Amino acid sequence: MRAHDDTTDPARLRVAAEVLGHLAEPTRLHLLRLLSVEQDVSSLVAQVAASRSSVSQHLGRLRLAGLVRARRDGRRMLYRITSDHLADLVAEALGYADHAVLGIPHHVVDEAPAERVNPAG
């Protein structure tokens, strides 16, 4: 069990929903996947199906949300994802999508009998 597993905390739920909202756009999701390694805009544009202007706008939104950090290197700005948790979330989302798109059965963890919830009450 995780030390911070209070799923009823409204602030926690709000932040999680905001992060998932940022992941809900395919270009931003792709950028976050690529930003496990620091890269500049030109490098990112070469890897995504979006214009330079669009990539810059998405990076700006991700930066404002605190999901990407930027640092200046001479005339270039270099970007990188801010959290291993976020990188793992992106990887999990894409893994789930692989199963759905490719028709691979999803992994299901059987619940222990004592943990099962009776929907009838």
Side-chain angles (χ1 to χ4, degrees), residues 5 9 12 30 38 58 68 74 87 93 102 107:
D5 245 356
D9 178 8
R12 185 173 179 232
H30 193 180
E38 195 173 61
H58 285 300
V68 166
L102 301 173
H107 308 276

Side-chain angles (χ1 to χ4, degrees), residues 109-118:
V109 177
D110 289 331
E111 296 176 358
E115 294 177 0
R116 287 198 177 118
V117 176
N118 183 354

Side-chain angles (χ1 to χ4, degrees), residues 78-100:
L78 298 172
Y79 297 88
R80 185 163 189 164
I81 199 166
T82 58
S83 166
D84 290 342
H85 289 292
L86 182 57
D88 291 346
L89 181 60
V90 169
E92 285 294 326
L94 292 171
Y96 181 90
D98 286 342
H99 283 262

Side-chain angles (χ1 to χ4, degrees), residues 50-68:
S51 68
R52 183 178 190 85
S53 173
S54 177
V55 168
S56 292
Q57 287 178 12
H58 285 300
L59 289 170
R61 285 179 175 228
L62 292 169
R63 240 178 108 187
L64 284 174
L67 305 181
V68 166

